[in-house]
Amino acid sequence: MTEVFERFVKGIVRQTDSNHEESMDLNEELLSHLHCSYEDLLNEGYSKEEAMKMAMMNFGDEKEIGKQLQQAMYPYRRGMMLILASASLIFAYSVYLLDLFMNGDAHMIWLVLAVLVATSILTVILHPVQSLNRRLWMNGLLISHIFIFSYGSLMSAYLDRPYSTISGFFSYALVLLAIILVYRTTIYDFPSSKQLLQKDAKWIHFINITMGIVLIFITLFLLWAFLWFSEGLQASLLLLLLPIGLWMLLYAVQMRLLAAQRKRIAYTIAITQLLLIGVTLVIWVYGI
């Protein structure tokens, strides 16, 4: 009986985007409700087999319950992710084909990366794996999406009108949706259980996410300018990774300090890193 209930509950929990800890709590709560219903039916005179079947039948269809729980826990999140992934695939193929036929440019590497990121987002949403660090994986995909599709917006600017205008607005909408989802995933949907200072953690996340997005756009602009005016790739282009690497390192340090409840040092680093990254960017620009 317990094994049957556990399989039934796992089918429900599998429909949600909850992380491992949330899945365990949800699994325990649903099992408790099922056992209570089972005991009530036994007291009413039903046999063990009848009570087990009726308890699950009264509970409802596992897929439908899972969808309802997903909507209650993360309202509209799955729908937003599905829209982002589907629209991104349409945009990637459309811009690639238009650029190929209009300008004769075959940006195959960009197409492969764009399709890979969009397909990965779609796969994670449709087939969630509770054992994964959902916030880490999803944010990694979303940040990659912002970088790749921001570059796609630069590609669309070279298309003939009205295709350039339409694809430009489309790409801006995709990037904006990805940015919104990064904030939502990090700050609201998957808070870390290791952080006791949840309010301060939200502020640190907000500061760093904003800074990271600004860095991505600056890096893309510098990359575009370098490739436009340069005759080829140079080793100094590797310096492009320095500001982003510095930002990632300082972000991780701040979260560890906050977990240790040393929030004054964490806020100090969050504020001063803006100056450090600005100096690094200046060095990068003049270094190449």
Side-chain angles (χ1 to χ4, degrees):
M1 182 267 295
T2 302
E3 293 181 359
V4 175
F5 281 170
E6 287 179 351
R7 286 197 300 269
F8 179 75
V9 168
K10 285 182 179 179
I12 296 174
V13 177
R14 196 177 297 118
Q15 306 301 316
T16 68
D17 288 339
S18 53
N19 58 28
H20 180 69
E21 293 178 358
E22 292 169 335
S23 296
M24 294 295 291
D25 292 339
L26 190 59
N27 190 80
E28 184 178 346
E29 184 177 353
L30 292 174
L31 278 176
S32 176
H33 285 299
L34 271 175
H35 282 293
C36 288
S37 177
Y38 172 77
E39 293 294 336
D40 291 340
L41 290 168
L42 285 179
N43 293 333
E44 292 178 11
Y46 291 97
S47 66
K48 291 184 178 180
E49 185 176 352
E50 290 174 334
M52 181 181 63
K53 291 181 178 179
M54 289 186 65
M56 291 187 293
M57 185 176 63
N58 293 338
F59 217 71
D61 180 73
E62 59 186 53
K63 291 186 177 180
E64 187 60 32
I65 298 171
K67 290 179 181 179
Q68 292 176 3
L69 286 172
Q70 167 69 23
Q71 181 65 16
M73 295 168 67
Y74 314 111
Y76 309 111
R77 182 177 179 276
R78 177 171 288 185
M80 294 170 70
M81 286 290 190
L82 289 174
I83 291 173
L84 178 67
S86 304
S88 296
L89 287 172
I90 295 172
F91 174 82
Y93 284 113
S94 300
V95 169
Y96 173 78
L97 292 174
L98 287 171
D99 200 23
L100 178 63
F101 289 115
M102 289 183 179
N103 303 322
D105 296 328
H107 296 279
M108 183 60 71
I109 296 178
W110 176 84
L111 177 64
V112 171
L113 292 175
V115 171
L116 180 62
V117 168
T119 304
S120 298
I121 293 174
L122 193 63
T123 302
V124 171
I125 292 301
L126 294 179
H127 302 285
V129 180
Q130 275 77 29
S131 59
L132 292 177
N133 186 326
R134 191 68 51 81
R135 182 174 62 182
L136 179 63
W137 277 93
M138 190 58 68
N139 276 354
L141 289 173
L142 288 171
I143 291 173
S144 300
H145 180 283
I146 293 170
F147 191 93
I148 293 169
F149 283 84
S150 295
Y151 186 84
S153 67
L154 296 176
M155 289 171 49
S156 65
Y158 293 96
L159 300 176
D160 297 337
R161 292 187 178 182
Y163 301 107
S164 61
T165 304
I166 296 172
S167 59
F169 280 116
F170 198 40
S171 64
Y172 298 150
L174 287 175
V175 171
L176 178 61
L177 179 57
I179 290 173
I180 292 172
L181 285 168
V182 168
Y183 281 106
R184 174 170 177 167
T185 299
T186 304
I187 298 176
Y188 296 106
D189 287 351
F190 300 116
S192 175
S193 59
K194 297 179 181 180
Q195 292 290 353
L196 300 177
L197 305 174
Q198 289 293 337
K199 185 177 180 180
D200 296 291
K202 289 181 179 181
W203 277 110
I204 293 294
H205 281 310
F206 179 82
I207 293 170
N208 281 277
I209 291 172
T210 304
M211 193 173 302
I213 291 170
V214 171
L215 267 177
I216 288 174
F217 287 126
I218 293 175
T219 301
L220 275 174
F221 175 78
L222 294 174
L223 177 63
W224 171 81
F226 181 87
L227 294 176
W228 181 260
F229 294 106
S230 177
E231 296 181 355
L233 296 176
Q234 300 178 12
S236 58
L237 191 62
L238 294 175
L239 290 173
L240 178 68
L241 302 176
L242 188 57
I244 295 179
L246 180 61
W247 163 70
M248 293 174 63
L249 176 62
L250 291 176
Y251 192 177
V253 169
Q254 291 167 56
M255 298 313 299
R256 287 187 174 275
L257 287 171
L258 205 60
Q261 300 189 42
R262 303 174 68 178
K263 64 178 184 178
R264 180 173 295 181
I265 302 177
Y267 277 114
T268 301
I269 295 176
I271 294 172
T272 55
Q273 72 174 337
L274 179 61
L275 178 61
L276 294 175
I277 292 175
V279 171
T280 306
L281 283 171
V282 171
I283 295 173
W284 186 90
V285 172
Y286 288 99
I288 60 174

